[in-house]
Amino acid sequence: MEVTNRCITKKSPLDDGEPKESDFEVKTSPLALSVSAGSTDVIVKNLYVSIDPYLHNRMKRFSSSHKTINYLAAVAPGDEIDAYGLAKVVASGNPEFEKDDLVVGFISWGEYTVLKEGTMFRKFDPLGFPLSYQVGILGFSGLTAYGGFFEVCKPKKGERVFVSAASGSVTLLKGKLRFDDAFNYKEEPDLKSTLKKYFPDGIDIYFDNVGAEMLEAAVENMNTFGRVAVCGMISEYTDAGKRAAPNMLDVVCKRIKIQGFLAADHMNVYSDFISTTVDHLRTGNLQAVEDISCGLESFPSAFIGLFRGHNTGKKMVKLADE
Amino acid sequence: MEVTNRCITKKSPLDDGEPKESDFEVKTSPLALSVSAGSTDVIVKNLYVSIDPYLHNRMKRFSSSHKTINYLAAVAPGDEIDAYGLAKVVASGNPEFEKDDLVVGFISWGEYTVLKEGTMFRKFDPLGFPLSYQVGILGFSGLTAYGGFFEVCKPKKGERVFVSAASGSVTLLKGKLRFDDAFNYKEEPDLKSTLKKYFPDGIDIYFDNVGAEMLEAAVENMNTFGRVAVCGMISEYTDAGKRAAPNMLDVVCKRIKIQGFLAADHMNVYSDFISTTVDHLRTGNLQAVEDISCGLESFPSAFIGLFRGHNTGKKMVKLADE
């Protein structure tokens, strides 16, 4: 059977400023839903795709990140945009996969993806949870949080933890998610004073997703032997002029550790991550908050919304029912 | 016996810009070289005093470092300037010390120091080396290098190491001290290209004493899983407008660790540090390069010279012979 596969590509490199709807376009191409003899390709129908800020760097003409690791490589205009997600096998030349298997891995902003041998995808056990959890809380996003917090920050009981950005309203964070406190950083004119107010005894651990002034303010408010896990810096991605210039004298005198990390480096704790997360989900200690847009056409707005704070919880696009 | 104790104090807080001779003055006061009954004071005659850039921050009106650890506290105008050094006991009310004992610890920019109980000083074994070694290579400076390199950077065989600033001419560094290569960073217009040239395969470990553009350039040239030990940032101390704004996207994607440290945190490796350093000194693998100014009046110029690159090797002031 042949279908018309629709996918989203970008028309030109993203440069400074927020991405716009007009940066993207729908591209169609015929796709045979069968694998030729001898090929080890696996053709999948995409169900859920994770939408993440780091993709902005991949879509730029130039970024220092392009040459560091496969899944941060540049995505050129017209190219398939690969991203983490969940899909269902429709045809397979690989003996490890068969029709109707569900897999997670690097699929694409499209209706179907042809997965080549050697690319990162695998079957999974849904463990009784909604499939979308595999893309968010039990997927790469969850592993990023778990690895960054436990492996990089090494928390000790009683320590004070600051996370930016939590992707939710203050009410949601303090209510349903039971954070001790929360604020909207986009409404705070002086982040150093804000953090001083919320952390009168200082910050021991900072999980940074924002960068720039937020990182500077956190370093100023950190305690001795504080740890910063640098996960991302969304405030800098769309503004080349923005850079964090944390006070390095503070870094020395308070013996602060600032460490960048990627989830992929923490596969050694993958089984701990899954068992711990599943336990907390089952007891209700942890709740998955998801923000799911539907349909191929929603990719651009779902992505753009990340930079405007539109999402509440883990952002993804759903392309089809199982 | 009573003497006239002369010491150097500063006249006003140091602010932006290089320190000047006129910022300092000689202060004299009578000092009885005996301890009153019941006192546990130890009076010492200062022999060698270490001259270190971090003192600039202590002499400022305000610095975020003032409240972090005792020996980084503010030094107010007119106050005794305490600093690491070596001295000889002339009178003691403390049963652990007696006349003519040699001690190292926090003494002062003066001819004599009255050491109160509870301050940091101790006897030592010179191990057959010149006394000045206790202030430099076998003292706090040596421990700073050892702790920062082995404990913070955790070097692996074959890794590429960059140290700034090495406090010596290129000829000295490449000749006598046998560094693979060296350059004068004050003469390099584009540090990023310079490091690219000297480290075509990237930097694994950066021991930072300079800060600002040098730290930015090092981060740009670091390899995956690189480590930066932040020891100091001499280029920023005298220029409040200078700050390092390293590319945090590099920090994430290359999983770089930037960690501040102080020698005092690494007392756990003190005996390893001494035995390793002594071994290397005895085999000639390691050489102590010292730059010693003589006499109380030389304190200001010795200190000011640090910020102008005048010293070659460990800077100290010698006040008296043993």
Side-chain angles (χ1 to χ4, degrees):
Chain A
M1 191 175 88
E2 184 174 287
V3 293
T4 298
N5 183 28
R6 297 188 308 148
C7 68
I8 302 290
T9 62
K10 65 194 168 90
K11 285 191 270 188
S12 53
L14 300 185
D15 284 308
D16 228 21
E18 280 181 11
K20 305 173 298 295
E21 290 266 356
S22 59
D23 292 328
F24 301 92
E25 65 187 344
V26 177
K27 193 171 145 182
T28 59
S29 52
L31 177 71
L33 296 185
S34 58
V35 175
S36 17
S39 163
T40 54
D41 288 357
V42 176
I43 302 175
V44 297
K45 184 176 183 187
N46 302 330
L47 305 184
Y48 292 94
V49 177
S50 176
I51 303 293
D52 299 287
Y54 78 85
L55 267 177
H56 195 273
N57 295 309
R58 298 190 60 190
M59 295 184 188
K60 285 180 184 166
R61 198 181 309 267
F62 172 80
S63 166
S64 61
S65 57
H66 289 168
K67 289 186 176 173
T68 53
I69 193 168
N70 277 351
Y71 65 84
L72 300 176
V75 176
D79 278 4
E80 191 173 66
I81 300 171
D82 55 316
Y84 196 77
L86 186 152
K88 189 175 195 170
V89 174
V90 293
S92 173
N94 183 326
E96 290 176 35
F97 299 91
E98 57 186 54
K99 190 167 183 305
D100 294 337
D101 277 350
L102 291 170
V103 297
V104 285
F106 280 81
I107 53 175
S108 62
W109 285 23
E111 293 170 323
Y112 293 89
T113 312
V114 179
L115 300 170
K116 299 283 173 189
E117 199 174 2
T119 57
M120 207 169 96
F121 63 101
R122 59 176 179 78
K123 289 185 273 193
F124 62 90
D125 177 350
L127 299 163
F129 294 107
L131 286 183
S132 58
Y133 280 28
Q134 299 298 324
V135 177
I137 196 159
L138 292 171
F140 239 53
S141 306
L143 180 60
T144 301
Y146 189 90
F149 188 61
F150 289 104
E151 295 292 292
V152 178
C153 298
K154 297 186 170 60
K156 293 190 283 286
K157 199 159 177 73
E159 288 194 318
R160 287 162 182 85
V161 179
F162 174 50
V163 178
S164 75
S167 297
S169 69
V170 168
T171 320
L172 172 75
L173 293 166
K174 293 174 66 171
K176 186 177 177 191
L177 300 182
R178 292 186 278 131
F179 279 77
D180 293 326
D181 223 324
F183 60 88
N184 183 343
Y185 76 93
K186 295 185 178 178
E187 289 170 0
E188 297 292 333
D190 176 358
L191 291 169
K192 289 178 181 171
S193 312
T194 302
L195 287 181
K196 180 84 196 149
K197 186 175 77 184
Y198 284 98
F199 290 92
D201 300 314
I203 298 168
D204 298 301
I205 288 174
Y206 172 42
F207 194 105
D208 187 21
N209 288 302
V210 168
E213 301 93 332
M214 187 61 103
L215 175 54
E216 296 173 11
V219 165
E220 176 159 315
N221 282 282
M222 289 207 92
N223 291 331
T224 300
F225 298 110
R227 286 87 71 202
V228 178
V230 189
C231 180
M233 55 231 63
I234 195 169
S235 74
E236 301 181 23
Y237 296 160
T238 52
D239 183 347
K242 269 207 177 183
R243 277 283 182 93
N247 183 345
M248 297 305 288
L249 187 60
D250 275 347
V251 170
V252 173
C253 299
K254 298 195 280 189
R255 290 85 105 200
I256 293 169
K257 181 178 80 168
I258 300 175
Q259 188 166 348
F261 75 100
L262 294 173
D265 302 326
H266 298 285
M267 290 309 291
N268 59 312
V269 295
Y270 184 79
S271 61
D272 292 344
F273 151 62
I274 291 293
S275 64
T276 305
T277 308
V278 163
D279 284 352
H280 285 311
L281 283 169
R282 287 186 176 145
T283 60
N285 264 339
L286 200 57
Q287 311 213 26
V289 180
E290 300 179 326
D291 186 330
I292 304 181
S293 300
C294 289
L296 183 90
E297 292 76 5
S298 66
F299 271 110
S301 65
F303 181 64
I304 293 161
L306 293 178
F307 300 93
R308 297 182 180 168
H310 288 175
N311 58 310
T312 293
K314 174 62 198 164
K315 188 71 204 173
M316 54 188 100
V317 168
K318 181 178 180 179
L319 289 145
D321 283 317
E322 186 184 348
Chain B
M1 190 175 90
E2 185 174 288
V3 293
T4 297
N5 184 28
R6 296 187 308 148
C7 69
I8 301 291
T9 62
K10 65 193 168 88
K11 287 192 270 189
S12 53
L14 300 184
D15 284 309
D16 228 20
E18 281 182 9
K20 305 174 296 296
E21 290 266 356
S22 60
D23 291 329
F24 300 93
E25 64 187 346
V26 177
K27 195 171 144 182
T28 59
S29 52
L31 177 70
L33 296 186
S34 59
V35 175
S36 16
S39 164
T40 55
D41 287 357
V42 176
I43 302 175
V44 298
K45 183 175 183 187
N46 301 330
L47 305 184
Y48 291 94
V49 177
S50 175
I51 303 294
D52 299 289
Y54 78 85
L55 267 175
H56 195 273
N57 295 309
R58 298 191 59 191
M59 296 184 189
K60 284 179 185 165
R61 200 181 308 267
F62 172 80
S63 166
S64 62
S65 57
H66 290 168
K67 290 186 175 172
T68 52
I69 193 169
N70 278 350
Y71 66 82
L72 300 176
V75 175
D79 278 4
E80 190 174 66
I81 300 170
D82 55 315
Y84 195 76
L86 185 152
K88 189 176 193 170
V89 174
V90 293
S92 173
N94 182 326
E96 290 177 35
F97 299 91
E98 57 188 52
K99 190 166 181 310
D100 294 335
D101 276 351
L102 291 170
V103 297
V104 286
F106 279 81
I107 53 176
S108 62
W109 285 22
E111 293 170 322
Y112 293 88
T113 311
V114 179
L115 299 170
K116 299 283 172 192
E117 199 173 1
T119 56
M120 206 169 98
F121 63 100
R122 60 176 179 78
K123 288 184 275 193
F124 62 91
D125 178 349
L127 299 164
F129 294 107
L131 286 183
S132 57
Y133 280 29
Q134 298 298 323
V135 177
I137 198 160
L138 292 170
F140 239 53
S141 306
L143 181 60
T144 302
Y146 189 90
F149 188 61
F150 290 104
E151 295 293 292
V152 177
C153 298
K154 296 187 171 60
K156 294 191 282 287
K157 198 158 178 72
E159 288 194 318
R160 287 160 182 86
V161 179
F162 174 51
V163 178
S164 74
S167 296
S169 68
V170 167
T171 319
L172 172 75
L173 294 166
K174 294 175 66 174
K176 187 177 177 191
L177 300 182
R178 292 187 277 133
F179 279 77
D180 293 326
D181 224 323
F183 60 89
N184 183 344
Y185 75 92
K186 295 185 179 178
E187 290 171 359
E188 297 292 332
D190 176 356
L191 291 169
K192 289 178 179 171
S193 313
T194 302
L195 287 181
K196 182 83 196 149
K197 187 177 74 183
Y198 284 97
F199 290 91
D201 300 315
I203 298 169
D204 299 300
I205 289 175
Y206 173 42
F207 194 104
D208 187 21
N209 288 301
V210 168
E213 301 94 331
M214 186 62 102
L215 175 55
E216 295 173 11
V219 165
E220 177 159 316
N221 282 283
M222 288 206 93
N223 290 331
T224 301
F225 298 111
R227 288 86 73 202
V228 178
V230 190
C231 180
M233 55 231 61
I234 195 169
S235 74
E236 300 181 23
Y237 295 161
T238 52
D239 183 347
K242 267 205 176 184
R243 277 282 181 91
N247 183 346
M248 297 306 287
L249 186 61
D250 274 347
V251 170
V252 173
C253 299
K254 298 196 282 190
R255 291 86 104 198
I256 293 170
K257 181 177 80 167
I258 300 176
Q259 189 167 346
F261 75 99
L262 295 174
D265 301 326
H266 297 286
M267 291 310 291
N268 59 312
V269 295
Y270 184 79
S271 60
D272 293 343
F273 150 61
I274 292 293
S275 65
T276 306
T277 308
V278 163
D279 283 352
H280 285 311
L281 284 170
R282 287 187 176 145
T283 60
N285 264 338
L286 200 57
Q287 311 214 27
V289 180
E290 300 179 326
D291 186 330
I292 304 181
S293 300
C294 289
L296 183 90
E297 291 77 3
S298 68
F299 271 110
S301 65
F303 181 64
I304 293 162
L306 293 178
F307 300 93
R308 297 182 180 167
H310 288 176
N311 59 309
T312 292
K314 173 63 196 163
K315 188 70 204 174
M316 54 188 100
V317 167
K318 179 178 181 179
L319 290 144
D321 283 316
E322 187 185 345

